Amino acid sequence: MGKRIALWYPDFVTHIFSVCTPYTAPSKNFTPLEVIVKSGRLPNFGYQLQLVSGQLENAIQSKEQIRQLLNGLYGGRTATGEPGWDVEHGISLDRLHRLKDTVLVSKEMLDYYADQYAINGLHGTLNWYRNREQNYEDELV
């Protein structure tokens, strides 16, 4: 959001600090996510292909499944050390039920977020990833 404010109000914003999401100036041409990932330019965005596909929404419905998803996103691993997700492929649905609790987030925090996401599901959150082209058009100032 801060980056967009800087685009729309360049006289107002003098500096932006961002963590984990480097700034890239708006492009003159839209490039679909599939092309970016499959070209090898950004294979680490492969997980986003899964997020836009609808696969997670279809597979993850219950509060417990949502909790398992969050656990995987926050570093949960199986007893043999297999990760719950990776950047090139996304969530490993076949592993979620075998993940040990992550050490990065407390059980209470995972439960809280699972409760919140269970109210409306994952669809709204995942729509952000589906809006790349609309965001591109919005950024053409």
Side-chain angles (χ1 to χ4, degrees):
M1 181 59 82
K3 294 173 189 173
R4 288 224 173 120
I5 292 171
L7 285 172
W8 295 332
Y9 303 100
D11 295 334
F12 182 72
V13 178
T14 61
H15 296 78
I16 293 179
F17 178 81
S18 179
V19 177
C20 296
T21 52
Y23 174 76
T24 53
S27 172
K28 292 181 181 177
N29 300 306
F30 177 74
T31 305
L33 180 62
E34 297 83 12
V35 172
I36 293 171
V37 172
K38 292 180 179 167
S39 72
R41 197 172 96 211
L42 288 172
N44 54 311
F45 279 15
Y47 73 95
Q48 292 184 22
L49 293 174
Q50 183 189 46
L51 297 180
V52 302
S53 72
Q55 178 189 26
L56 292 180
E57 292 153 286
N58 292 334
I60 298 177
Q61 301 281 319
S62 72
K63 182 167 48 172
E64 181 54 31
Q65 290 170 325
I66 292 170
R67 188 187 189 287
Q68 291 170 341
L69 168 71
L70 295 170
N71 185 47
L73 290 172
Y74 281 105
R77 293 181 172 267
T78 66
T80 59
E82 297 171 293
W85 87 287
D86 70 70
V87 295
E88 291 187 8
H89 304 100
I91 297 295
S92 297
L93 292 170
D94 60 327
R95 291 184 194 154
L96 286 183
H97 68 283
R98 297 186 289 129
L99 298 179
K100 304 291 183 190
D101 282 344
T102 178
V103 297
L104 300 177
V105 180
S106 70
K107 177 188 179 316
E108 294 77 21
M109 175 116 9
L110 279 178
D111 290 343
Y112 172 80
Y113 280 103
D115 287 342
Q116 298 309 303
Y117 277 109
I119 294 169
N120 293 307
L122 300 173
H123 186 76
T125 299
L126 297 180
N127 274 343
W128 186 88
Y129 296 93
R130 294 182 184 112
N131 277 338
R132 287 189 74 252
E133 190 166 6
Q134 181 62 52
N135 290 340
Y136 162 78
E137 291 173 9
D138 287 347
E139 291 173 356
L140 295 176
V141 181

